[in-house]
Coordinates of all heavy atoms in Angstrom, one line a residue:
A1081 N 0.8 -1.2 0.0 CA 0.0 0.0 0.0 C 0.9 1.2 0.0 O 2.0 1.2 0.4 CB -0.9 0.0 1.2
F1082 N 0.3 2.3 -0.5 CA 1.0 3.6 -0.4 C -0.1 4.7 -0.1 O -1.3 4.4 -0.1 CB 1.8 3.9 -1.7 CG 0.9 3.9 -2.9 CD1 0.4 5.1 -3.4 CD2 0.6 2.8 -3.6 CE1 -0.4 5.2 -4.5 CE2 -0.2 2.8 -4.7 CZ -0.7 4.0 -5.2
E1083 N 0.4 5.9 0.1 CA -0.6 7.0 0.4 C -0.6 8.0 -0.7 O 0.4 8.3 -1.3 CB -0.2 7.6 1.7 CG -0.4 6.7 2.9 CD -0.1 7.4 4.2 OE1 0.6 8.3 4.3 OE2 -0.8 7.0 5.2
V1084 N -1.8 8.6 -0.8 CA -1.9 9.8 -1.7 C -2.4 10.9 -0.8 O -3.3 10.7 0.0 CB -2.8 9.6 -2.9 CG1 -2.2 8.6 -3.9 CG2 -4.2 9.2 -2.5
E1085 N -1.8 12.1 -1.0 CA -2.3 13.3 -0.2 C -3.0 14.1 -1.2 O -2.6 14.4 -2.3 CB -1.1 14.0 0.4 CG -1.5 15.2 1.2 CD -0.3 15.9 1.8 OE1 0.6 15.2 2.3 OE2 -0.3 17.2 1.7
L1086 N -4.2 14.6 -0.8 CA -5.0 15.5 -1.7 C -4.7 16.9 -1.3 O -5.0 17.4 -0.2 CB -6.5 15.2 -1.5 CG -6.8 13.7 -1.6 CD1 -8.3 13.4 -1.4 CD2 -6.3 13.1 -2.9
A1087 N -4.0 17.6 -2.1 CA -3.4 18.9 -1.8 C -4.5 19.9 -1.3 O -4.3 20.7 -0.5 CB -2.6 19.5 -2.9
K1088 N -5.7 19.9 -2.0 CA -6.7 20.9 -1.7 C -7.3 20.8 -0.3 O -7.6 21.8 0.3 CB -7.7 20.9 -2.8 CG -7.2 21.5 -4.0 CD -8.1 21.4 -5.2 CE -7.4 22.0 -6.4 NZ -8.0 21.6 -7.7
S1089 N -7.4 19.5 0.2 CA -8.0 19.4 1.5 C -7.0 19.0 2.6 O -7.3 19.0 3.8 CB -9.1 18.3 1.5 OG -8.5 17.0 1.1
G1090 N -5.8 18.6 2.1 CA -4.8 18.1 3.0 C -5.1 16.7 3.5 O -4.3 16.2 4.4
E1091 N -6.1 16.1 3.0 CA -6.5 14.7 3.4 C -5.5 13.7 2.8 O -5.0 13.8 1.7 CB -7.9 14.5 2.8 CG -8.6 13.4 3.5 CD -10.0 13.3 3.0 OE1 -10.6 14.3 2.6 OE2 -10.5 12.1 2.9
T1092 N -5.3 12.6 3.6 CA -4.5 11.5 3.1 C -5.3 10.2 2.9 O -6.1 9.9 3.8 CB -3.3 11.2 4.0 OG1 -2.5 12.4 4.1 CG2 -2.4 10.1 3.6
V1093 N -5.2 9.6 1.8 CA -5.9 8.3 1.5 C -4.9 7.2 1.3 O -4.0 7.4 0.5 CB -6.8 8.5 0.3 CG1 -7.5 7.2 -0.1 CG2 -7.9 9.6 0.5
T1094 N -5.2 6.1 1.9 CA -4.3 4.9 1.7 C -4.8 4.1 0.5 O -6.0 3.8 0.4 CB -4.3 4.0 3.0 OG1 -3.8 4.8 4.0 CG2 -3.4 2.8 2.8
V1095 N -3.9 3.7 -0.4 CA -4.2 2.9 -1.6 C -3.7 1.5 -1.3 O -2.5 1.3 -1.4 CB -3.6 3.5 -2.8 CG1 -4.1 2.7 -4.1 CG2 -4.0 5.0 -3.0
P1096 N -4.6 0.6 -1.1 CA -4.2 -0.8 -0.9 C -3.7 -1.4 -2.2 O -3.9 -1.0 -3.3 CB -5.5 -1.6 -0.5 CG -6.5 -0.5 -0.2 CD -6.1 0.7 -1.0
E1097 N -2.9 -2.5 -2.0 CA -2.3 -3.2 -3.2 C -3.4 -3.6 -4.2 O -3.1 -3.6 -5.4 CB -1.5 -4.4 -2.8 CG -0.2 -4.1 -2.0 CD 0.7 -3.1 -2.8 OE1 0.8 -3.3 -4.1 OE2 1.2 -2.2 -2.2
D1098 N -4.6 -4.0 -3.8 CA -5.6 -4.5 -4.7 C -6.6 -3.5 -5.2 O -7.6 -3.8 -5.8 CB -6.3 -5.7 -4.1 CG -7.0 -5.3 -2.8 OD1 -6.8 -4.2 -2.3 OD2 -7.9 -6.1 -2.4
R1099 N -6.3 -2.2 -4.9 CA -7.2 -1.1 -5.4 C -6.4 -0.1 -6.2 O -5.2 0.1 -5.9 CB -7.8 -0.4 -4.2 CG -8.6 -1.3 -3.2 CD -9.8 -1.9 -3.8 NE -11.0 -1.0 -3.7 CZ -12.1 -1.2 -4.5 NH1 -12.2 -2.2 -5.3 NH2 -13.1 -0.3 -4.4
S1100 N -7.0 0.6 -7.1 CA -6.4 1.7 -7.8 C -6.5 2.9 -7.0 O -7.3 3.0 -6.1 CB -7.0 1.9 -9.2 OG -8.4 2.3 -9.0
I1101 N -5.7 3.9 -7.4 CA -5.9 5.2 -6.7 C -7.3 5.7 -6.8 O -8.0 6.2 -5.9 CB -4.9 6.3 -7.3 CG1 -3.5 5.9 -7.0 CG2 -5.2 7.7 -6.6 CD1 -2.4 6.8 -7.7
L1102 N -7.8 5.6 -8.1 CA -9.2 6.0 -8.3 C -10.2 5.3 -7.4 O -11.1 5.9 -6.8 CB -9.5 5.7 -9.8 CG -10.8 6.1 -10.4 CD1 -10.8 7.6 -10.7 CD2 -11.1 5.3 -11.7
E1103 N -10.1 4.0 -7.3 CA -11.0 3.2 -6.4 C -10.8 3.6 -5.0 O -11.8 3.7 -4.2 CB -10.7 1.7 -6.6 CG -11.2 1.2 -7.9 CD -10.7 -0.2 -8.2 OE1 -9.6 -0.6 -7.7 OE2 -11.3 -0.9 -9.0
A1104 N -9.6 3.8 -4.5 CA -9.4 4.2 -3.1 C -10.0 5.6 -2.8 O -10.5 5.8 -1.8 CB -7.9 4.2 -2.8
L1105 N -9.9 6.5 -3.8 CA -10.5 7.8 -3.6 C -12.0 7.6 -3.5 O -12.7 8.2 -2.6 CB -10.2 8.7 -4.8 CG -8.7 9.2 -4.8 CD1 -8.5 10.0 -6.1 CD2 -8.3 9.9 -3.6
R1106 N -12.6 6.8 -4.4 CA -14.1 6.6 -4.3 C -14.5 5.9 -3.0 O -15.5 6.3 -2.4 CB -14.5 5.8 -5.5 CG -14.5 6.6 -6.8 CD -15.1 5.8 -7.9 NE -15.0 6.7 -9.1 CZ -15.0 6.2 -10.3 NH1 -14.9 4.9 -10.6 NH2 -15.0 7.1 -11.3
D1107 N -13.7 4.9 -2.6 CA -14.0 4.2 -1.3 C -14.0 5.2 -0.2 O -14.7 5.0 0.8 CB -12.9 3.2 -1.0 CG -12.9 2.0 -2.0 OD1 -13.9 1.9 -2.7 OD2 -11.9 1.2 -2.0
S1108 N -13.2 6.3 -0.3 CA -13.2 7.2 0.9 C -14.1 8.4 0.6 O -14.0 9.4 1.3 CB -11.8 7.7 1.1 OG -11.3 8.3 0.0
G1109 N -15.0 8.3 -0.4 CA -16.1 9.3 -0.5 C -15.8 10.4 -1.5 O -16.5 11.4 -1.5
H1110 N -14.7 10.3 -2.3 CA -14.4 11.4 -3.2 C -15.0 11.1 -4.6 O -15.0 10.0 -5.0 CB -12.9 11.5 -3.3 CG -12.2 12.0 -2.0 ND1 -11.9 11.0 -1.1 CD2 -12.0 13.2 -1.5 CE1 -11.4 11.7 -0.1 NE2 -11.4 13.0 -0.3
K1111 N -15.4 12.1 -5.2 CA -16.0 12.0 -6.6 C -14.8 12.2 -7.5 O -14.1 13.2 -7.5 CB -17.0 13.1 -6.8 CG -18.3 12.9 -6.1 CD -19.4 13.6 -6.8 CE -20.8 13.3 -6.2 NZ -21.0 13.9 -4.9
T1112 N -14.7 11.2 -8.4 CA -13.6 11.3 -9.4 C -14.1 10.9 -10.8 O -14.9 10.0 -10.8 CB -12.4 10.4 -9.0 OG1 -13.0 9.1 -8.7 CG2 -11.6 10.9 -7.9
V1113 N -13.7 11.6 -11.8 CA -14.2 11.3 -13.1 C -13.3 10.2 -13.8 O -12.1 10.2 -13.6 CB -14.3 12.5 -14.1 CG1 -15.4 13.4 -13.6 CG2 -12.9 13.2 -14.2
S1114 N -13.9 9.3 -14.5 CA -13.2 8.3 -15.2 C -14.0 7.8 -16.3 O -15.2 8.0 -16.4 CB -12.8 7.1 -14.3 OG -14.0 6.4 -13.9
S1115 N -13.4 7.0 -17.2 CA -14.2 6.4 -18.3 C -13.6 5.0 -18.5 O -14.3 4.0 -18.1 CB -14.0 7.2 -19.6 OG -14.7 6.6 -20.6
C1116 N -12.5 4.8 -19.2 CA -12.0 3.5 -19.5 C -11.5 2.7 -18.3 O -11.7 1.5 -18.2 CB -10.9 3.6 -20.5 SG -9.3 4.2 -19.8
E1117 N -10.9 3.4 -17.3 CA -10.3 2.7 -16.2 C -9.3 1.7 -16.5 O -9.1 0.7 -15.8 CB -11.4 2.2 -15.2 CG -12.3 3.3 -14.8 CD -13.2 3.1 -13.5 OE1 -13.0 2.0 -12.9 OE2 -14.0 4.0 -13.2
S1118 N -8.7 1.8 -17.7 CA -7.6 0.9 -18.1 C -6.4 1.7 -18.6 O -5.5 1.1 -19.3 CB -8.1 -0.1 -19.1 OG -8.6 0.6 -20.3
G1119 N -6.4 3.0 -18.4 CA -5.2 3.7 -18.8 C -5.0 4.1 -20.2 O -4.0 4.4 -20.7
T1120 N -6.2 4.2 -20.9 CA -6.1 4.5 -22.4 C -6.8 5.7 -22.8 O -6.6 6.3 -23.9 CB -6.6 3.3 -23.2 OG1 -7.9 3.0 -22.8 CG2 -5.7 2.1 -23.1
C1121 N -7.8 6.2 -22.0 CA -8.7 7.3 -22.6 C -8.2 8.7 -22.2 O -8.5 9.6 -22.9 CB -10.1 7.1 -22.1 SG -10.4 7.5 -20.4
G1122 N -7.6 8.8 -21.0 CA -7.1 10.1 -20.6 C -8.1 10.9 -19.7 O -7.7 12.0 -19.2
T1123 N -9.2 10.4 -19.4 CA -10.2 11.1 -18.6 C -9.8 11.4 -17.2 O -10.1 12.4 -16.6 CB -11.5 10.3 -18.6 OG1 -12.0 10.0 -19.9 CG2 -12.6 11.0 -17.8
C1124 N -9.1 10.4 -16.6 CA -8.7 10.6 -15.2 C -7.4 11.3 -14.9 O -6.9 11.3 -13.8 CB -8.6 9.2 -14.5 SG -7.3 8.2 -15.1
K1125 N -6.9 12.0 -16.0 CA -5.6 12.7 -15.8 C -5.6 13.7 -14.7 O -6.5 14.5 -14.6 CB -5.4 13.4 -17.1 CG -4.0 14.1 -17.3 CD -3.9 14.7 -18.7 CE -2.6 15.5 -18.9 NZ -2.5 15.9 -20.3
T1126 N -4.7 13.5 -13.8 CA -4.6 14.3 -12.6 C -3.2 14.9 -12.4 O -2.2 14.3 -12.7 CB -4.9 13.4 -11.4 OG1 -6.2 12.9 -11.5 CG2 -4.9 14.2 -10.0
R1127 N -3.2 16.2 -12.0 CA -1.9 16.8 -11.8 C -1.2 16.2 -10.6 O -1.8 16.1 -9.5 CB -2.0 18.3 -11.7 CG -0.8 19.1 -12.1 CD -1.1 20.5 -12.4 NE -1.1 21.2 -11.2 CZ 0.0 21.6 -10.5 NH1 1.2 21.4 -10.9 NH2 -0.2 22.3 -9.3
L1128 N 0.1 15.9 -10.8 CA 0.9 15.3 -9.7 C 1.8 16.4 -9.2 O 2.6 16.9 -9.9 CB 1.7 14.2 -10.4 CG 2.8 13.5 -9.5 CD1 2.1 12.7 -8.4 CD2 3.6 12.5 -10.3
I1129 N 1.6 16.7 -7.9 CA 2.4 17.8 -7.3 C 3.8 17.3 -6.9 O 4.8 18.0 -7.1 CB 1.6 18.5 -6.2 CG1 0.4 19.1 -6.8 CG2 2.5 19.5 -5.4 CD1 -0.6 19.7 -5.7
S1130 N 3.8 16.2 -6.2 CA 5.1 15.6 -5.9 C 5.0 14.1 -5.7 O 3.9 13.6 -5.5 CB 5.7 16.2 -4.6 OG 4.9 15.9 -3.5
G1131 N 6.1 13.4 -5.6 CA 6.1 12.0 -5.4 C 6.6 11.3 -6.7 O 6.7 11.8 -7.8
D1132 N 7.0 10.0 -6.5 CA 7.5 9.2 -7.6 C 6.4 8.3 -8.1 O 6.0 7.3 -7.4 CB 8.7 8.3 -7.1 CG 9.9 9.2 -6.7 OD1 10.1 10.2 -7.5 OD2 10.5 9.0 -5.7
A1133 N 5.9 8.5 -9.3 CA 4.8 7.8 -9.9 C 5.4 6.6 -10.7 O 6.4 6.6 -11.4 CB 4.0 8.6 -10.8
D1134 N 4.6 5.5 -10.6 CA 4.9 4.3 -11.4 C 3.8 4.3 -12.5 O 2.7 3.9 -12.3 CB 4.7 3.0 -10.5 CG 4.8 1.7 -11.2 OD1 5.2 1.8 -12.4 OD2 4.4 0.7 -10.6
H1135 N 4.2 4.9 -13.6 CA 3.2 5.2 -14.7 C 2.9 3.9 -15.4 O 3.7 3.2 -15.9 CB 3.7 6.2 -15.7 CG 3.9 7.5 -15.1 ND1 2.8 8.3 -14.8 CD2 5.0 8.3 -14.7 CE1 3.2 9.5 -14.3 NE2 4.5 9.5 -14.2
R1136 N 1.6 3.5 -15.4 CA 1.2 2.3 -16.1 C 0.1 2.5 -17.2 O -0.5 1.6 -17.7 CB 0.6 1.3 -15.1 CG 1.6 1.0 -14.0 CD 1.0 0.0 -13.0 NE 2.0 -0.3 -11.9 CZ 1.8 -1.2 -11.0 NH1 0.7 -1.9 -11.0 NH2 2.7 -1.4 -10.1
D1137 N 0.0 3.8 -17.6 CA -1.0 4.1 -18.6 C -0.4 4.1 -20.0 O 0.8 4.0 -20.2 CB -1.6 5.5 -18.3 CG -0.5 6.6 -18.5 OD1 0.3 6.8 -17.5 OD2 -0.3 7.1 -19.6
M1138 N -1.2 4.3 -21.0 CA -0.8 4.3 -22.4 C -1.0 5.7 -23.0 O -1.0 5.9 -24.2 CB -1.6 3.3 -23.3 CG -1.7 2.0 -22.7 SD -0.2 1.1 -22.5 CE -0.1 0.5 -24.2
V1139 N -1.3 6.7 -22.1 CA -1.7 8.0 -22.6 C -0.6 9.1 -22.5 O -0.4 9.9 -23.4 CB -2.9 8.5 -21.8 CG1 -3.4 9.9 -22.2 CG2 -4.1 7.5 -21.9
L1140 N 0.0 9.2 -21.4 CA 0.9 10.3 -21.1 C 2.2 10.2 -22.0 O 2.8 9.1 -22.2 CB 1.4 10.3 -19.6 CG 0.3 10.7 -18.6 CD1 0.9 10.6 -17.2 CD2 -0.2 12.1 -18.9
M1141 N 2.6 11.4 -22.5 CA 3.9 11.4 -23.2 C 5.0 11.6 -22.1 O 4.7 12.1 -21.0 CB 3.9 12.6 -24.1 CG 2.9 12.4 -25.3 SD 2.9 13.8 -26.4 CE 1.9 15.0 -25.5
D1142 N 6.2 11.2 -22.5 CA 7.3 11.2 -21.5 C 7.4 12.6 -20.8 O 7.6 12.6 -19.6 CB 8.6 10.8 -22.2 CG 8.7 9.3 -22.4 OD1 7.9 8.6 -21.8 OD2 9.5 8.9 -23.2
E1143 N 7.3 13.6 -21.6 CA 7.5 15.0 -21.0 C 6.4 15.4 -20.0 O 6.5 16.3 -19.3 CB 7.7 16.0 -22.0 CG 6.5 16.2 -23.0 CD 6.7 15.3 -24.3 OE1 7.4 14.3 -24.2 OE2 6.2 15.8 -25.3
E1144 N 5.3 14.6 -20.0 CA 4.2 14.9 -19.1 C 4.3 14.1 -17.8 O 3.6 14.4 -16.8 CB 2.8 14.5 -19.7 CG 2.4 15.3 -20.9 CD 1.1 14.9 -21.4 OE1 0.9 13.8 -21.9 OE2 0.1 15.7 -21.3
K1145 N 5.1 13.1 -17.8 CA 5.1 12.2 -16.7 C 5.6 12.7 -15.3 O 5.3 12.1 -14.3 CB 5.9 10.9 -17.1 CG 5.1 10.1 -18.1 CD 5.8 8.8 -18.4 CE 4.9 8.0 -19.4 NZ 5.5 6.8 -19.9
G1146 N 6.3 13.9 -15.4 CA 6.7 14.5 -14.1 C 5.6 15.3 -13.5 O 5.6 15.6 -12.3
E1147 N 4.6 15.6 -14.3 CA 3.6 16.6 -13.9 C 2.1 16.0 -13.8 O 1.3 16.6 -13.2 CB 3.6 17.7 -15.0 CG 3.0 19.0 -14.4 CD 3.0 20.1 -15.4 OE1 3.7 20.0 -16.5 OE2 2.3 21.1 -15.2
Y1148 N 1.9 14.9 -14.5 CA 0.6 14.3 -14.4 C 0.6 12.8 -14.1 O 1.6 12.1 -14.4 CB -0.1 14.5 -15.8 CG -0.4 15.9 -16.1 CD1 0.4 16.6 -16.9 CD2 -1.6 16.5 -15.6 CE1 0.2 18.0 -17.2 CE2 -1.8 17.9 -15.8 CZ -1.0 18.6 -16.6 OH -1.2 19.9 -16.9
I1149 N -0.5 12.3 -13.7 CA -0.7 10.8 -13.5 C -2.1 10.4 -13.8 O -3.0 11.2 -13.6 CB -0.3 10.5 -12.0 CG1 -0.4 9.0 -11.7 CG2 -1.3 11.2 -11.0 CD1 0.1 8.6 -10.4
M1150 N -2.2 9.2 -14.4 CA -3.5 8.6 -14.7 C -3.9 7.8 -13.5 O -3.3 6.7 -13.3 CB -3.5 7.8 -16.0 CG -2.8 8.5 -17.2 SD -3.4 10.2 -17.5 CE -5.0 9.8 -18.0
I1151 N -4.8 8.2 -12.7 CA -5.1 7.6 -11.4 C -5.9 6.3 -11.5 O -6.0 5.6 -10.5 CB -5.7 8.5 -10.4 CG1 -7.1 9.1 -11.0 CG2 -4.8 9.7 -10.1 CD1 -7.8 9.9 -9.9
C1152 N -6.3 5.9 -12.7 CA -7.1 4.6 -12.8 C -6.1 3.4 -12.8 O -6.5 2.3 -12.5 CB -8.0 4.6 -14.0 SG -7.1 4.6 -15.6
V1153 N -4.9 3.6 -13.2 CA -3.9 2.5 -13.3 C -2.6 2.7 -12.7 O -1.9 1.8 -12.3 CB -3.7 2.1 -14.8 CG1 -4.9 1.4 -15.4 CG2 -3.2 3.3 -15.6
S1154 N -2.1 4.0 -12.6 CA -0.8 4.2 -12.1 C -0.7 4.2 -10.6 O -1.7 4.4 -9.9 CB -0.2 5.5 -12.7 OG -0.2 5.4 -14.1
R1155 N 0.5 4.0 -10.1 CA 0.7 3.9 -8.7 C 1.9 4.7 -8.2 O 2.5 5.4 -9.0 CB 0.9 2.4 -8.3 CG -0.3 1.5 -8.9 CD -0.3 0.1 -8.4 NE -0.6 0.0 -7.0 CZ -1.8 0.0 -6.5 NH1 -2.8 0.1 -7.3 NH2 -2.0 -0.1 -5.2
A1156 N 2.3 4.5 -7.0 CA 3.5 5.1 -6.5 C 4.7 4.1 -6.5 O 4.4 2.9 -6.2 CB 3.3 5.6 -5.1
T1157 N 5.9 4.5 -6.9 CA 7.0 3.5 -6.8 C 7.4 3.4 -5.3 O 7.8 2.3 -4.9 CB 8.2 4.0 -7.5 OG1 8.5 5.3 -7.1 CG2 7.9 4.0 -9.0
S1158 N 7.2 4.4 -4.5 CA 7.5 4.3 -3.1 C 7.0 5.6 -2.5 O 6.7 6.6 -3.2 CB 9.0 4.2 -2.8 OG 9.6 5.4 -3.3
G1159 N 6.8 5.6 -1.2 CA 6.4 6.8 -0.5 C 5.0 7.3 -0.8 O 4.1 6.5 -1.1
K1160 N 4.9 8.5 -0.9 CA 3.6 9.2 -1.0 C 3.5 10.0 -2.3 O 4.5 10.7 -2.7 CB 3.4 10.1 0.2 CG 2.0 10.7 0.3 CD 1.7 11.3 1.7 CE 2.5 12.6 1.9 NZ 2.1 13.2 3.2
L1161 N 2.3 10.1 -2.9 CA 2.1 11.0 -4.0 C 1.2 12.1 -3.5 O 0.2 11.9 -2.8 CB 1.3 10.3 -5.1 CG 2.0 9.0 -5.8 CD1 1.0 8.5 -6.8 CD2 3.3 9.4 -6.4
V1162 N 1.5 13.3 -3.9 CA 0.7 14.5 -3.6 C 0.0 14.9 -4.9 O 0.6 15.2 -5.9 CB 1.5 15.6 -3.0 CG1 0.5 16.8 -2.7 CG2 2.2 15.2 -1.8
L1163 N -1.4 14.8 -4.9 CA -2.2 15.1 -6.1 C -2.9 16.4 -6.0 O -3.3 16.8 -4.9 CB -3.2 14.0 -6.3 CG -2.7 12.6 -6.4 CD1 -3.9 11.6 -6.5 CD2 -1.7 12.4 -7.5
D1164 N -3.1 17.1 -7.1 CA -3.8 18.4 -7.1 C -5.3 18.1 -7.1 O -6.0 18.4 -8.1 CB -3.3 19.2 -8.3 CG -3.8 20.6 -8.3 OD1 -4.2 21.0 -7.2 OD2 -3.8 21.2 -9.4
L1165 N -5.8 17.6 -6.1 CA -7.2 17.3 -5.9 C -7.7 17.8 -4.6 O -6.9 18.0 -3.7 CB -7.5 15.7 -5.9 CG -7.3 15.0 -7.3 CD1 -7.5 13.5 -7.0 CD2 -8.3 15.5 -8.3
Ligands
FES1930 FE1 -9.3 6.3 -18.9 FE2 -8.0 6.6 -16.6 S1 -10.1 6.5 -16.9 S2 -7.1 6.6 -18.6

């Protein structure tokens, strides 16, 4: 598991190994937009403020990977991700 911090509320949500960031956010009562939920459509694109992302999508270009994350499939390599949510 790893944690995501939601910058706008300061809230921290734990993402278990068997859940996506998107699912963990929904589990904790957050509304999040999505469509494909398989890393191909781009709908769930979220600004990444800090942290090391393990990008598993097919959407982001390399130059975007420091700044954005697709939260339906991607995860953290270690530690915590801070998202602009
Ligand atoms: Fe389609 Fe995440 S919902 S890329």
